[in-house]
């Protein structure tokens, strides 16, 4: 089970991503049908209902994705039974926060915890800690993956908790930069590593 | 505001560009024949190179036209409250979009090294189809910047037909708003080219995915698909992220949540994201085919996203 945990998390992620995609196809088809029947349908109650229905359909899957994203973070630091325990603890506390304070604070708690753990992971990766476990090898790939996930967590956090705040766009741009840098480092780690080695050897 | 200099430049662009488009059509058909007939396949590289060269020269003509627009047209506020402005229109709007996509695809087809012959043949055939489609569906020279020209004509019509200062000011503000928020927007210079370059790289990834389904465990095709999906995904993600702040500002007060084009674009992003996740475990049972199918569906998303703009009405569409 623990051996296959990463694989199971990836399969779940794929399933959720595709499922949200299917909902979006339905949404577009519905919009199309409505716009064929009534050109100004976006100014009607039907559009308001459509947005509400889409929110209802997308929300559970988005929450599941956030939970998966949150659960994926401790796997860098913990392994074996400790990983399962830390994941379960994070999930249970988040559910408790949801029950006591509501959905937004619950997801917010999960995301803040994930951001903090991810920041620790990045710090440990930077100093070359041997305690971290990655599915992939290579410094740039690992740091890229960590920065990319931090960017995504921050992105979701921004929309969940700061949507109406004046900080919304600032945090949005920070997450955009992290996602962009993370993707470049992850996808081109080999090339970046070679370039870095060449520069070092030239000195 | 519409002056002879602009009208002459528009006519000149069409007169120079139309023969180029006919040559593009002829070369595209020739390229398709070269790829289809093994006897002529040795000429396909030269034909593809000529096609790209021709498209690049066509694009230069368009750049010259856009430059002429920026120097010849001045939008003046009839009330004198706002400073006069010039149009700085990027070279990938209206029918130029697909032309740009085809041009980028052509460059990517040419720059390939050590690709499997079958892969390169399918890719070159797709380029030929793109060339033919450009002629029949997105010819930017038959009526250069038709939408922009219609905006100018409407504005000039109001100025000519009405002396009412309110009506004139309203018409000015409508065109000025479009100039600032759309035609001259910095976002229009960044967001569309990022997405169209991404779409072009996804074509290359898609061909790799097709061969992945045909030839199980052929690492070359998987590597090719991944090599080209990577830059596409980066450009797509960053392009979409850049789009959000613009949408918030430009569509303030308008209903745009779950707009059909935005839905489909997000679906495409989700599918490519799923593809990249699946690829991490590609050597597990069933994951090779799953990865290939996800990549395949992602590209189907690219096609649907592009078509949605013209088919399904919405805030991000030209349909309806």
């Amino acid at each position: 089970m623990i051996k296959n945990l990463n694989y199971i998390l990836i399969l779940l992620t794929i399933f959720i991503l595709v499922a949200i995609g299917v909902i979006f196809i339905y949404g577009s088809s519905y919009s199309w049908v409505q716009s064929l029947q009534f050109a100004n349908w976006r100014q009607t109650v039907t559009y308001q209902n459509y947005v509400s229905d889409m929110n209802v359909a997308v929300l559970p899957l988005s929450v599941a994705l956030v939970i998966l994203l949150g659960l994926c973070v401790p796997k860098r630091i913990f392994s074996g039974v400790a990983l399962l325990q830390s994941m379960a603890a994070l999930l249970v506390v988040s559910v408790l926060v949801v029950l006591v304070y509501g959905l937004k604070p619950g997801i917010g708690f999960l995301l803040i915890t994930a951001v903090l753990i991810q920041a620790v992971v990045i710090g440990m990766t930077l100093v070359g800690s041997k305690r971290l476990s990655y599915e992939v090898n290579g410094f740039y790939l690992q740091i890229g993956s960590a920065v990319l996930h931090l960017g995504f967590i921050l992105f979701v956090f921004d929309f969940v908790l700061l949507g109406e705040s004046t900080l919304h766009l600032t945090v949005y741009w920070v997450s955009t930069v992290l996602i962009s840098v993370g993707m470049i480092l992850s996808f081109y780690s080999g090339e970046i590593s070679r370039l870095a080695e060449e520069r070092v050897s030239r000195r | 505001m519409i002056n002879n200099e602009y009208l002459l430049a528009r006519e000149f662009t069409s007169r120079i560009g139309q023969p180029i488009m006919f040559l593009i059509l002829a070369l595209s058909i020739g390229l398709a024949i070269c790829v289809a007939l093994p006897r002529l396949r040795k000429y396909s590289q030269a034909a593809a190179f000529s096609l790209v060269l021709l498209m690049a020269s066509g694009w230069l003509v368009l750049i010259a036209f856009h430059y002429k627009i920026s120097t010849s047209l001045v939008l003046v506020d009839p009330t004198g409250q706002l400073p006069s402005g010039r149009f700085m229109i990027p070279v990938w709007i209206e029918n130029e979009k697909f032309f740009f996509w085809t041009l980028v695809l052509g460059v990517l087809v040419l720059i390939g090294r050590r690709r499997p012959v079958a892969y390169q043949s399918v890719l070159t055939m797709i380029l030929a189809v793109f060339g033919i489609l450009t002629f029949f569906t997105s010819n930017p020279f038959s009526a250069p910047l038709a939408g922009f020209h219609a905006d100018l004509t409407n504005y000039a019509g109001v100025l000519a037909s009405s002396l009412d200062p309110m009506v004139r000011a309203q018409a000015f503000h409508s065109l000025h708003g479009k100039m600032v928020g759309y035609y001259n927007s910095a976002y229009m210079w960044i967001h569309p080219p990022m997405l169209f370059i991404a779409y072009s790289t996804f074509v290359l990834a898609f061909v790799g995915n097709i061969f992945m389904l045909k030839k199980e465990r052929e690492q070359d095709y998987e590597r090719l698909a991944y090599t080209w999906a990577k830059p596409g995904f980066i450009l797509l993600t960053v392009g979409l992220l850049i789009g959000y702040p613009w949408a918030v500002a430009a569509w303030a007060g308008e209903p745009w949540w779950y707009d059909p084009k935005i839905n489909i674009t997000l679906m495409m992003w989700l599918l490519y994201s799923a593809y990249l996740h699946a690829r991490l475990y590609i050597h597990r049972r069933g994951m090779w085919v799953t990865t290939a199918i996800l990549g395949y569906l992602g590209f189907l998303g690219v096609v649907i996203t592009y078509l949605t703009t013209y088919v399904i009405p919405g805030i991000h569409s030209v349909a309806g």
Side-chain angles (χ1 to χ4, degrees), chain A residues 2-73:
Chain A
I2 292 169
K3 198 180 151 196
N4 284 324
L5 189 62
N6 276 337
Y7 180 52
I8 292 165
L9 288 174
I10 290 286
L11 286 182
L12 282 171
T13 305
I14 294 167
F15 173 78
I16 293 171
L17 289 172
V18 173
I20 299 175
V22 171
I23 293 171
F24 281 143
I25 295 177
Y26 166 77
S28 292
S29 310
Y30 181 82
S31 297
W32 194 6
V33 171
Q34 289 300 322
S35 59
L36 287 175
Q37 288 172 351
F38 185 52
N40 292 325
W41 86 282
R42 285 190 298 131
Q43 272 76 45
T44 65
V45 180
T46 315
Y47 175 77
Q48 302 296 333
N49 292 338
Y50 157 72
V51 172
S52 305
D53 291 347
M54 284 294 283
N55 279 335
V56 168
V58 171
L59 188 70
L61 291 166
S62 304
V63 171
L65 202 61
V66 169
I67 291 170
L68 274 179
L69 205 60
L71 291 181
C72 278
V73 175

Side-chain angles (χ1 to χ4, degrees), chain A residues 28 42 47 50 55 168 172, chain B residues 241 244 255 257-258 260 267 281:
Chain A
S28 292
R42 285 190 298 131
Y47 175 77
Y50 157 72
N55 279 335
H168 174 54
Y172 180 86
Chain B
L241 287 170
Y244 172 73
W257 282 106
Y258 299 117
M267 176 208 70
Y281 287 92

Side-chain angles (χ1 to χ4, degrees), chain B residues 144-304:
Chain B
L145 294 183
F148 171 71
H149 187 69
D151 283 341
L152 290 184
T153 313
N154 288 341
Y155 178 61
V158 172
L159 291 190
S161 64
S162 174
L163 292 173
D164 183 345
M166 285 289 282
V167 174
R168 292 164 77 94
Q170 202 174 4
F172 167 78
H173 282 294
S174 170
L175 184 57
H176 184 264
K178 210 167 175 185
M179 180 176 90
V180 174
Y182 178 65
Y183 290 124
N184 287 12
S185 166
Y187 153 89
M188 281 303 292
W189 283 90
I190 304 166
H191 173 82
M194 284 181 102
L195 296 192
F196 282 107
I197 296 169
Y199 293 177
S200 303
T201 66
F202 285 145
V203 174
L204 277 80
F206 167 67
V207 177
N209 293 137
I210 294 175
F211 280 103
M212 276 176 75
L213 283 176
K214 271 184 77 178
K215 301 188 176 191
E216 187 98 350
R217 306 280 159 201
E218 279 261 5
Q219 299 298 330
D220 275 357
Y221 296 117
E222 197 285 314
R223 188 180 45 77
L224 272 167
Y226 180 57
T227 298
W228 290 105
K230 283 189 297 184
F233 190 72
I234 293 175
L235 289 168
L236 178 67
T237 309
V238 179
L240 293 179
L241 287 170
I242 285 172
Y244 172 73
W246 181 86
V248 170
W251 298 333
E254 295 225 39
W256 63 275
W257 282 106
Y258 299 117
D259 173 83
K261 171 81 183 284
I262 295 167
N263 282 348
I264 294 291
T265 310
L266 288 174
M267 176 208 70
M268 168 179 60
W269 184 89
L270 289 163
L271 287 170
Y272 274 111
S273 185
Y275 160 79
L276 291 169
H277 278 87
R279 199 192 159 272
L280 290 172
Y281 287 92
I282 198 160
H283 299 298
R284 292 265 185 144
R285 201 159 64 93
M287 290 305 278
W288 179 277
V289 174
T290 306
T291 305
I293 288 174
L294 284 170
Y296 187 86
L297 290 175
F299 186 71
L300 201 63
V302 173
V303 176
I304 298 172

Side-chain angles (χ1 to χ4, degrees), chain A residues 69-91:
Chain A
L69 205 60
L71 291 181
C72 278
V73 175
K75 72 184 182 188
R76 303 277 177 246
I77 299 177
F78 304 107
S79 60
V81 179
L83 173 62
L84 285 179
Q85 284 172 342
S86 65
M87 281 178 155
L90 188 57
L91 204 56

Side-chain angles (χ1 to χ4, degrees), chain A residues 10-179:
Chain A
I10 290 286
L11 286 182
L12 282 171
T13 305
I14 294 167
F15 173 78
I16 293 171
L17 289 172
V18 173
I20 299 175
V22 171
I23 293 171
F24 281 143
I25 295 177
Y26 166 77
S28 292
S29 310
Y30 181 82
S31 297
W32 194 6
V33 171
Q34 289 300 322
S35 59
L36 287 175
Q37 288 172 351
F38 185 52
N40 292 325
W41 86 282
R42 285 190 298 131
Q43 272 76 45
T44 65
V45 180
T46 315
Y47 175 77
Q48 302 296 333
N49 292 338
Y50 157 72
V51 172
S52 305
D53 291 347
M54 284 294 283
N55 279 335
V56 168
V58 171
L59 188 70
L61 291 166
S62 304
V63 171
L65 202 61
V66 169
I67 291 170
L68 274 179
L69 205 60
L71 291 181
C72 278
V73 175
K75 72 184 182 188
R76 303 277 177 246
I77 299 177
F78 304 107
S79 60
V81 179
L83 173 62
L84 285 179
Q85 284 172 342
S86 65
M87 281 178 155
L90 188 57
L91 204 56
V92 167
V93 177
S94 300
V95 171
L96 282 175
V97 177
V98 169
L99 291 174
V100 177
Y101 297 103
L103 186 63
K104 255 189 180 183
I107 294 174
F109 168 79
L110 181 68
L111 290 166
I112 289 170
T113 313
V115 166
L116 292 176
I117 298 175
Q118 195 65 6
V120 172
V121 168
I122 290 174
M124 289 170 76
T125 310
L126 282 172
V127 298
S129 169
K130 303 281 178 213
R131 282 204 58 197
L132 294 172
S133 76
Y134 281 95
E135 298 98 85
V136 289
N137 293 319
F139 172 75
Y140 291 104
L141 188 51
Q142 291 176 346
I143 198 78
S145 169
V147 170
L148 175 61
H149 281 88
L150 178 64
F152 272 117
I153 296 164
L154 207 58
F155 176 85
V156 180
F157 174 80
D158 184 37
F159 274 87
V160 172
L161 290 181
L162 303 175
E164 307 295 323
S165 159
T166 48
L167 282 172
H168 174 54
L169 277 182
T170 311
V171 177
Y172 180 86
W173 282 117
V174 172
S175 69
T176 297
V177 170
L178 289 173
I179 290 169

Side-chain angles (χ1 to χ4, degrees), chain B residues 4 8 25-26 34 39 42 49 59 70 73-74 110 115 120 170 184-185 199 222 258 279 293:
Chain B
N4 271 344
L8 281 172
L25 176 67
C34 285
R39 205 155 45 90
K42 60 187 172 198
F49 182 76
W59 204 52
S70 74
L73 293 178
V74 182
L110 288 182
R115 288 175 184 161
Q120 188 66 13
Q170 202 174 4
N184 287 12
S185 166
Y199 293 177
E222 197 285 314
Y258 299 117
R279 199 192 159 272
I293 288 174

